[in-house]
Amino acid sequence: MKQNSIIRVENLSIGYENKIIMKDLSFDIPKGDIFIIMGGSGCGKSTLLRTLTGLIPALNGQIRIHDTDFIKAGRKEKLEIMKRSGILYQGGALFSSMTLAENVALPLQQYTSYSQDKINQIVSFKLALVGLAGYETYYPSEISGGMRKRAGLARALALDPEIVYFDEPSAGLDPISSKNLDDLILQINATLGTTIIVVTHELPSIFAIGKNSIFLDKTVQTISAKGNPNELLKNPPNRQVYEFLTRGVNHEKRTK
């Protein structure tokens, strides 16, 4: 494992039961990176994310996280690794019957022995971090889609994870809300040093935040490109990557 890598994947095959979606996946994710998993619809992006987070088993290969073989790790070891990671699901996945504060407090109540006062302090801080100070008592139905995503991010950050996974964070958001979320991701990465892994097919987000990336190619059922997305745009290694990165008419890197 490279010295600065927080995750190393080797010869990984992913899918469901006997159906292989992607095979021979090998890549490293440096600590503190913003790493993009990109590719067309149905290529296995979300399946890879679910495999990396332990939600579904790998079909073959190795995933090392924090120098631990995640696939072969026991239940206790996996739980410790998962506690050091956060996930922002597509819709935010907030509990509708709970306030934002109650949603963010949930992992703290489950996995720490903090007093309620301490939990309340952390919850207020995390909500302020994502621009939701003063919204503690609001329910998910009372706020916009972009705000729900940010509340979901506050919950993902509750345990101060080293890694945060994002599954299509821009899905369902208007361009302004999407850009605001991209800016928030950049801010969290810069200020907290959090390693961020993003599954997305949205070009503005890919070019705005991606430091490194892999391209999952359905035509060969494996990775056909690696590197900084903006560099891949300048020098696409194959036609599939070129066509993916040149969709639409305007591909200029979006500025903050």
Side-chain angles (χ1 to χ4, degrees):
M1 194 164 182
K2 292 181 181 178
Q3 190 172 2
N4 69 332
S5 294
I6 197 166
I7 297 176
R8 166 168 261 185
V9 174
E10 292 183 311
N11 302 316
L12 182 69
S13 294
I14 61 171
Y16 300 90
E17 296 181 351
N18 295 322
K19 179 178 173 56
I20 294 176
I21 296 175
M22 284 279 149
K23 60 188 178 182
D24 302 324
L25 305 179
S26 296
F27 56 92
D28 284 273
I29 301 178
K31 187 175 182 179
D33 205 8
I34 300 179
F35 190 89
I36 306 293
I37 299 171
M38 61 182 180
S41 298
C43 70
K45 300 186 297 295
S46 292
T47 302
L48 176 55
L49 189 75
R50 293 186 187 108
T51 306
L52 291 175
T53 54
L55 294 177
I56 61 173
L59 299 183
N60 193 26
Q62 186 179 75
I63 301 170
R64 297 194 67 83
I65 304 177
H66 305 298
D67 286 323
T68 298
D69 188 333
F70 188 59
I71 293 174
K72 294 182 179 178
R75 185 176 178 276
K76 187 176 180 181
E77 279 184 303
K78 281 188 176 180
L79 182 59
E80 286 303 312
I81 291 172
M82 292 167 73
K83 283 164 61 177
R84 294 163 71 183
S85 305
I87 305 175
L88 177 60
Y89 298 98
Q90 281 192 31
L94 298 171
F95 292 100
S96 60
S97 61
M98 300 170 69
T99 65
L100 301 192
E102 290 168 341
N103 269 281
V104 178
L106 198 58
L108 294 162
Q109 293 166 341
Q110 287 185 321
Y111 298 116
T112 75
S113 56
Y114 294 148
S115 68
Q116 190 58 51
D117 283 346
K118 176 73 170 176
I119 289 174
N120 292 342
Q121 290 175 10
I122 294 172
V123 167
S124 293
F125 172 73
K126 299 300 180 181
L127 286 171
L129 185 66
V130 300
L132 291 175
Y135 284 86
E136 285 85 352
T137 60
Y138 282 65
Y139 287 88
S141 62
E142 297 175 321
I143 59 177
S144 68
M147 294 169 77
R148 285 194 291 272
K149 290 283 181 83
R150 284 188 276 148
L153 179 54
R155 186 178 61 188
L157 294 170
L159 296 174
D160 296 321
E162 295 178 72
I163 305 167
V164 176
Y165 300 90
F166 291 76
D167 188 8
E168 297 283 4
S170 299
L173 297 184
D174 62 82
I176 293 175
S177 296
S178 180
K179 183 185 182 303
N180 289 341
L181 185 58
D182 286 345
D183 290 343
L184 183 56
I185 288 171
L186 289 169
Q187 176 190 335
I188 288 167
N189 174 252
T191 57
L192 303 180
T194 308
T195 303
I196 292 172
I197 300 165
V198 183
V199 164
T200 185
H201 66 276
E202 298 288 345
L203 292 180
S205 293
I206 288 170
F207 294 133
I209 67 175
K211 295 181 182 179
N212 281 298
S213 70
I214 55 173
F215 179 79
L216 301 185
D217 191 337
K218 283 197 294 187
T219 63
V220 291
Q221 277 193 296
T222 193
I223 295 167
S224 68
K226 299 178 183 178
N228 181 285
N230 290 282
E231 293 302 316
L232 291 176
L233 177 62
K234 292 177 185 175
N235 300 290
N238 56 61
R239 184 168 183 81
Q240 286 73 28
V241 172
Y242 171 79
E243 290 180 349
F244 179 82
L245 293 177
T246 57
R247 291 171 289 142
V249 295
N250 183 6
H251 308 294
E252 292 182 6
K253 184 177 178 181
R254 195 170 61 195
T255 57
K256 290 189 282 183

